[in-house]
Amino acid sequence: MFLKLGKKGSAAGSVTELVRSSGLRHIAFIMDGNGRWAKKRGLPREAGHKEGSAVFKKLIEYCGEIGIKTVTVYALSTENLKNRPKKEIDALMKLFEAYFRDCTNSTKAKDLEIRFIGNREPLPDSIRSMMTELEARTGEKTKRLNIAINYGGRDEIVRSVNKLISAGAKCVTEDDITASLDTGECVPPDIIVRTGGESRISNFLLWQSAYSELYFSEKYWPDFTEKDVDEAVRWFAGRSRRFGGI
């Protein structure tokens, strides 16, 4: 279902109760509009990414507070890494490093397991090292955050199939591919939220999103708030998910 942000749903009760009753386990965000947010204010694009990073930290914590167990965020696509100016990419890498350092000190208390999805090979050695260390430090927690860096859905599927071929597979099943994806044992996203006014998923979680509900907001990511998350949850709770049934 494709829907533009509209009026509040009529579901009653607290947002936490709606998360529980609707079966919402996994929410994914395409955090779009940082650059346009900055341009609108006469600021460099890097300023938009910095503001977006602050919103990301706040909303990840909020999702955990209302009972959502898994969150995935689209932080940097394969296309972004190839096509964005070096200055912008360098600024993003600095934001990643700052967040990784913060997480090293704070995630244990928040009970958050962090995993990275995407192709790490083109990333700077320092970033890859911090990613590996952070994954090792935050294993086996009750909540999970997947951060997609240099990620593309098509690339992920290709890497998954090649991994199976290298392991000697002659014929693969859907379950084989699912297990070999970057997300591995993670449940698929129940809802994908995209900000920034665009109505597409931009090569994000192509395999995993087969039955995800798709929710589009006109707001730029730096303007997205806890109330907007609540709105998406209420909308999701009002959906009828049939998975091919009647």
Side-chain angles (χ1 to χ4, degrees):
M1 174 67 181
F2 293 79
L3 185 76
K4 290 286 186 180
L5 183 62
K7 296 180 180 179
K8 286 188 176 182
S10 58
S14 70
V15 175
T16 301
E17 174 58 27
L18 285 177
V19 168
R20 187 199 63 77
S21 63
S22 67
L24 175 51
R25 300 170 295 170
H26 184 174
I27 187 169
F29 293 103
I30 301 176
M31 305 181 293
D32 193 22
N34 292 331
R36 284 173 287 155
W37 180 92
K39 182 178 179 180
K40 186 176 179 180
R41 289 160 175 79
L43 300 171
R45 291 179 60 85
E46 297 78 45
H49 291 305
K50 184 176 181 180
E51 186 68 22
S53 176
V55 170
F56 152 75
K57 294 174 187 177
K58 183 189 302 183
L59 295 188
I60 293 306
E61 186 169 347
Y62 181 68
C63 286
E65 289 173 357
I66 62 175
I68 300 175
K69 297 296 185 182
T70 301
V71 180
T72 300
V73 294
Y74 207 2
L76 181 69
S77 73
T78 53
E79 292 80 12
N80 292 155
L81 188 61
K82 293 175 184 175
N83 299 323
R84 294 290 174 90
K86 184 179 184 300
K87 181 182 178 183
E88 184 174 348
I89 295 299
D90 288 345
L92 283 168
M93 293 300 166
K94 289 180 180 178
L95 288 173
F96 293 156
E97 287 181 347
Y99 179 67
F100 298 165
R101 282 194 296 270
D102 288 345
C103 286
T104 298
N105 299 320
S106 65
T107 49
K108 186 173 183 180
K110 295 181 180 178
D111 206 19
L112 182 65
E113 175 184 358
I114 297 178
R115 291 291 175 265
F116 296 95
I117 63 176
N119 183 1
R120 304 184 192 191
E121 290 305 313
L123 300 176
D125 290 344
S126 59
I127 292 288
R128 296 206 311 267
S129 177
M130 294 178 78
M131 291 164 71
T132 300
E133 180 181 359
L134 195 51
E135 286 181 329
R137 283 176 175 267
T138 62
E140 302 299 325
K141 300 293 180 66
T142 60
K143 300 182 182 70
R144 175 163 170 168
L145 169 63
N146 298 316
I147 304 177
I149 298 179
N150 192 35
Y151 175 88
R154 289 179 175 179
D155 175 72
E156 180 187 29
I157 294 168
V158 170
R159 287 187 289 105
S160 170
V161 172
N162 283 331
K163 189 189 306 181
L164 292 167
I165 292 171
S166 296
K170 302 297 183 183
C171 180
V172 300
T173 66
E174 289 188 12
D175 287 343
D176 291 333
I177 293 175
T178 298
S180 63
L181 292 172
D182 296 344
T183 48
E185 74 283 1
C186 244
V187 296
D190 298 298
I191 179 172
I192 296 177
V193 175
R194 179 172 188 150
T195 61
E198 302 291 357
S199 300
R200 56 179 179 268
I201 58 174
S202 296
N203 200 19
F204 184 51
L205 300 178
L206 297 182
W207 183 275
Q208 298 91 329
S209 64
Y211 280 100
S212 301
E213 303 293 330
L214 305 179
Y215 182 90
F216 300 104
S217 169
E218 296 291 336
K219 284 191 172 183
Y220 296 141
W221 177 252
D223 292 328
F224 212 66
T225 68
E226 291 95 334
K227 289 184 179 180
D228 295 307
V229 174
D230 293 349
E231 184 75 15
V233 170
R234 291 189 182 97
W235 177 83
F236 176 82
R239 298 291 303 146
S240 176
R241 307 185 76 200
R242 296 181 294 276
F243 299 98
I246 296 175

